[in-house]
Amino acid sequence: MKRKYGFEASVASVLFIVLFFVMVLQIVGRTNLVVGPIWTEELARWLWVWMALIGIGTVERDDAHLRMGFLMDLLPAIVQKTWAILVDIVYIALASHLVWIAYKTILRTWNNETVTLPTTDAVLYASAFVALVLIVHRIFWRLLQNITSFKSVEQEGA
């Protein structure tokens, strides 16, 4: 049974809640009431990047990308399924290559100090790596499901 919300959605939601409180702290820090911590701007940016990239995994899980399917809807089911499989093969190849690029970027930025946070820039670039691994995982399972259901579409068309 497929859960209503996946792992990625839960993580993105927690990141959003933390982002909200960091931004509230940043806004309150701009008033005369308290002196705001300088690290809130950088942390808010990082949280937003992590949240957005992890959220893409949820879109992949639910196969909810925006698409213009009016032309594909006119084609027979076997052609639609074949096209979906081909697109996913290209997508998984590109995303896998991006995983490698993200990994190399993490290694390259491992010793770069951030401006205000007590960590390195590699933590920010790790967001792309983690998100892409989750995306490749979701594409792989969708591709496997499309390939295994291909026979039933083939039999319906015959």
Side-chain angles (χ1 to χ4, degrees):
M1 183 177 149
K2 189 174 179 180
R3 290 177 29 207
K4 185 174 182 179
Y5 300 108
F7 169 76
E8 297 93 340
S10 301
V11 171
S13 297
V14 169
L15 289 171
F16 177 75
I17 292 167
V18 174
L19 173 63
F20 176 79
F21 286 111
V22 168
M23 291 184 74
V24 166
L25 180 61
Q26 186 178 31
I27 292 167
V28 170
R30 292 179 181 181
T31 65
N32 292 334
L33 301 173
V34 294
V35 176
I38 194 166
W39 50 263
T40 57
E41 188 276 329
E42 189 170 21
L43 182 60
R45 191 169 5 107
W46 284 32
L47 287 169
W48 189 88
V49 169
W50 270 90
M51 178 190 68
L53 291 176
I54 297 294
I56 296 171
T58 298
V59 173
E60 285 303 328
R61 174 187 183 265
D62 298 336
D63 198 16
H65 282 290
L66 293 175
R67 49 176 69 89
M68 296 172 53
F70 63 93
L71 291 177
M72 286 300 291
D73 293 343
L74 298 175
L75 299 173
I78 188 91
V79 175
Q80 291 179 21
K81 185 65 84 168
T82 303
W83 183 253
I85 290 170
L86 290 173
V87 167
D88 278 346
I89 289 170
V90 170
Y91 191 10
I92 203 166
L94 290 172
S96 297
H97 182 66
L98 290 173
V99 167
W100 176 247
I101 291 172
Y103 173 73
K104 290 192 310 186
T105 304
I106 290 169
L107 294 179
R108 192 179 73 243
T109 59
W110 193 260
N111 294 321
N112 295 1
E113 293 181 17
T114 63
V115 177
T116 61
L117 297 173
T119 186
T120 69
D121 285 335
V123 175
L124 177 62
Y125 292 108
S127 62
F129 178 79
V130 170
L132 285 163
V133 167
L134 292 170
I135 290 166
V136 167
H137 169 78
R138 295 296 186 185
I139 298 168
F140 172 77
W141 287 109
R142 183 176 65 221
L143 183 60
L144 191 64
Q145 180 183 12
N146 282 339
I147 290 171
T148 56
S149 68
F150 190 76
K151 288 246 189 240
S152 62
V153 172
E154 205 172 48
Q155 290 169 351
E156 287 175 15

